């Protein structure tokens, strides 16, 4: 078939067909009159290039898929080389997303800093009104109240180890170098997936339920904490980083979350943990720090949805300490 017919059948332009040929991806024959003669296979290959291009693959990156089709397979991703090409592109996109997320956070930080210089009477001119921020579902009634088992009694006066974690804002955070002033580090067990049911028996574990609610509580109290001299607020759990990032995006959390799936900090400081569904998780705990030294510990934490109010009041009561 002629170029116009082949382009129309493949859903591409004649110019695109010429480009694919220049890249060595298509090899149409020549009719007696010298015109290119495209076959049904050429059309199928052009369709594959177009389809993969819509997913971000360049024409040159489609070579393994085209080779798979030429080998007689009905699908271009039926071959191992195609799967490897998928994985390579996914890893490249993951890196790009991480870089973009880091750039976005840095732009937001610079924008807000510049806005505060230009509008000193406004705390944050770009901050969404509290009534516009997404809210976590209310906690159910009758949750069991955790009791103080003494598992955190040894923590006041301890110094954080020189452990580093990557935050959801893309920054590398070393715990013993977060701030020379006062700051807050709160621990929580598990990030909930709004599309999935909570783990079986989760509501029956004292102090387990309420991670999203606690996260919103610190979000909504962040300005009040800053007014009391709190330099930073960080959250840490054994959750996967992608779960934490989803929570940050969903609830518009303005502070970084740190992922510690191996519970390295728990081992270093002997922090309280618990077992559920075959997984070890942090118990809910909040540290007030001055530099790298633990000044005060909130444990157990209950109810989690108003815990940040409790922390804020503690800072008011100890403002001159």
């Amino acid at each position: 078939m002629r170029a116009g017919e082949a382009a129309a059948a493949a859903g591409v332009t004649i110019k695109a067909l010429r480009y694919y040929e220049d890249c060595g991806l298509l090899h149409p024959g020549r009719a007696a009159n010298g015109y290119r003669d495209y076959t049904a296979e050429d059309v199928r290959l052009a369709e594959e290039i177009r389809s993969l291009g819509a997913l971000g693959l360049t024409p040159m990156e489609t070579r393994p898929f085209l080779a798979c089709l030429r080998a007689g397979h009905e699908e271009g991703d039926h071959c191992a080389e195609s799967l490897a090409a998928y994985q390579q592109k996914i890893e490249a996109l993951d890196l790009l997303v991480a870089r973009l997320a880091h750039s976005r956070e840095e732009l937001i930080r610079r924008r807000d800093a510049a806005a505060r210089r230009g509008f000193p009477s406004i705390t944050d001119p770009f901050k969404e009104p509290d009534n516009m921020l997404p809210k976590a579902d209310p906690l159910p009634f009758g949750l069991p109240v955790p009791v103080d088992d003494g598992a955190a009694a040894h923590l006041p006066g301890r110094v954080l180890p020189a452990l580093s974690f990557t935050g959801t804002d893309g920054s590398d955070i070393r715990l013993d170098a977060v701030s020379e002033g006062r700051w807050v580090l709160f621990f929580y067990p598990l990030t909930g997936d709004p599309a999935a049911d909570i783990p079986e028996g989760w509501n029956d574990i004292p102090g387990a339920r309420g991670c999203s609610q606690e996260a919103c509580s610190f979000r909504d109290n962040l300005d009040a904490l800053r007014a009391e001299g709190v330099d930073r607020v960080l959250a840490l759990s054994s959750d996967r980083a992608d779960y934490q990032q989803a929570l940050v995006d969903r609830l518009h959390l303005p502070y970084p979350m740190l992922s510690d799936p191996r519970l390295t900090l728990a081992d270093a400081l002997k922090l309280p943990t618990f077992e559920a569904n075959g997984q070890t998780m942090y118990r809910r705990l909040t540290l007030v720090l001055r530099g790298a030294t633990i000044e005060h510990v909130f444990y157990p934490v209950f109810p989690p949805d108003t815990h940040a109010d409790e922390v804020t009041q503690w800072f008011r009561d100890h403002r001159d300490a």
Side-chain angles (χ1 to χ4, degrees):
M1 65 185 79
R2 299 282 293 274
E5 297 175 280
V12 299
T13 63
I14 296 177
K15 186 176 180 180
L17 284 182
R18 298 281 193 268
Y19 177 68
Y20 300 159
E21 184 179 353
D22 290 341
C23 291
L25 304 176
L26 297 182
H27 306 283
R30 293 280 180 170
N33 56 9
Y35 288 109
R36 292 175 175 82
D37 184 17
Y38 292 90
T39 65
E41 181 183 76
D42 293 323
V43 171
R44 177 67 183 93
L45 296 176
E47 288 177 334
E48 187 76 357
I49 298 170
R50 175 181 57 79
S51 175
L52 292 170
L55 297 177
L57 276 75
T58 66
M60 299 303 290
E61 289 173 330
T62 68
R63 284 186 179 277
F65 302 89
L66 305 185
C68 195
L69 290 174
R70 286 194 178 98
H73 297 288
E74 292 187 4
E75 300 294 338
D77 55 11
H78 190 75
C79 302
E81 293 79 5
S82 303
L83 298 182
Y86 276 147
Q87 183 60 34
Q88 185 176 6
K89 192 64 177 181
I90 290 169
E91 291 173 357
L93 289 173
D94 285 342
L95 180 61
L96 177 60
V97 168
R99 288 174 175 170
L100 289 174
H102 178 70
S103 296
R104 180 181 184 277
E105 292 300 323
E106 180 62 16
L107 287 169
I108 290 174
R109 186 189 67 78
R110 293 191 181 194
R111 178 202 67 185
D112 292 351
R116 292 189 186 97
R117 290 196 301 271
F119 303 92
S121 63
I122 301 176
T123 303
D124 190 343
F126 299 101
K127 182 183 177 183
E128 295 180 80
D130 287 343
N131 60 359
M132 297 294 290
L133 290 170
K135 303 293 183 183
D137 294 335
L139 289 174
F141 291 105
L143 291 174
V145 180
V147 298
D148 190 349
D149 57 3
H154 65 289
L155 291 174
R158 293 285 299 272
V159 176
L160 294 184
L163 293 176
S164 295
F165 300 93
T166 300
T168 48
D169 62 352
S171 63
D172 289 326
I173 297 175
R174 206 178 90 173
L175 293 182
D176 65 336
V178 169
S179 169
E180 295 182 356
R182 276 177 159 174
W183 59 286
V184 172
L185 174 63
F186 73 93
F187 298 80
Y188 67 95
L190 180 69
T191 299
D193 183 349
D197 294 332
I198 62 172
E200 185 177 355
W202 191 248
N203 285 351
D204 299 326
I205 302 173
R209 183 74 183 270
C211 298
S212 297
Q213 291 80 2
E214 184 180 16
C216 287
S217 176
F218 274 101
R219 177 198 67 190
D220 297 341
N221 279 272
L222 191 58
D223 285 343
L225 287 166
R226 285 172 175 164
E228 298 302 325
V230 176
D231 286 347
R232 297 196 73 179
V233 170
L234 301 175
L236 186 145
S237 77
S238 59
D239 255 340
R240 284 172 22 196
D242 55 337
Y243 272 53
Q244 292 183 332
Q245 187 61 60
L247 186 72
V248 168
D249 295 342
R250 186 170 77 249
L251 299 179
H252 298 188
L253 302 182
Y255 51 83
M257 290 189 150
L258 312 178
S259 175
D260 183 17
R262 297 183 179 178
L263 289 94
T264 52
L265 185 55
D267 291 340
L269 290 179
K270 306 303 179 187
L271 298 176
T273 60
F274 69 102
E275 300 280 340
N277 300 312
Q279 182 180 355
T280 303
M281 289 170 274
Y282 281 99
R283 287 196 180 276
R284 205 176 299 280
L285 170 81
T286 297
L287 303 180
V288 173
L289 298 116
R290 190 185 293 271
T293 302
I294 300 172
E295 183 177 2
H296 183 75
V297 180
F298 292 90
Y299 178 84
V301 170
F302 193 86
D305 56 345
T306 59
H307 174 55
D309 298 304
E310 178 186 13
V311 176
T312 304
Q313 187 59 52
W314 185 92
F315 276 100
R316 291 193 184 106
D317 295 340
H318 297 79
R319 185 177 299 167
D320 299 324

